[in-house]
C-alpha cells in the first residue's frame, strides 16, 4: 500500500482501496498507522474539507529511515533461490 501512496499522491482512502483491492477499513487503519510512524501525511481535500488525501511524508521519520536504508538483496536471493542480479531486480 505504501508503494500505491507513493505512486498516487493525494489519493483518498477509497481510491487507495479500489486500486489495491483491500477493504476500505483496512486501508484506513493502515494509513493511520503509517501516519503515526511518520511515513505518510494526510491533508484535507481542497474541494471537500471533510475528505482526507494521503501522501508520502516530506521528511523521513526516525522510524522509517532505518527501514528504507536496509538492504534486502540477501533476503531476496534466499527467497528466490538465486543471486542473479537480473532476477533480483525483477
Amino acid at each position: 500500500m505504501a508503494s500505491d501512496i507513493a505512486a498516487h499522491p493525494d489519493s483518498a482512502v477509497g481510491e487507495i482501496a479500489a486500486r489495491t483491492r483491500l477493504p476500505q477499513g483496512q486501508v484506513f487503519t493502515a494509513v493511520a498507522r503509517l501516519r503515526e510512524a511518520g511515513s505518510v501525511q494526510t491533508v484535507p481535500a481542497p474541494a471537500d474539507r471533510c475528505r482526507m488525501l494521503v501522501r508520502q511524508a516530506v521528511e523521513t521519520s526516525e522510524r522509517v529511515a532505518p527501514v528504507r536504508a536496509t538492504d534486502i538483496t540477501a533476503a531476496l536471493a534466499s527467497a528466490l533461490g538465486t543471486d542473479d542480479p537480473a532476477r533480483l531486480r525483477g
Side-chain angles (χ1 to χ4, degrees):
M1 187 176 58
S3 60
D4 181 79
I5 294 169
H8 305 279
D10 294 334
S11 291
V13 167
E15 295 166 337
I16 297 166
R19 285 191 300 269
T20 61
R21 297 184 183 196
L22 293 169
Q24 190 164 337
Q26 187 176 353
V27 172
F28 182 81
T29 300
V31 166
R33 288 183 179 158
L34 289 169
R35 188 178 61 229
E36 288 173 16
S39 183
V40 301
Q41 59 185 186
T42 56
V43 295
D48 178 0
R49 310 273 307 156
C50 293
R51 189 172 152 205
M52 298 302 286
L53 304 179
V54 184
R55 64 174 68 144
Q56 277 188 315
V58 176
E59 294 183 21
T60 303
S61 75
E62 290 180 22
R63 289 178 64 186
V64 174
V67 173
R68 289 187 181 165
T70 301
D71 183 10
I72 62 167
T73 305
L76 282 175
S78 176
L80 294 172
T82 181
D83 60 356
D84 176 18
R87 178 89 195 269
L88 294 177
R89 281 192 302 274

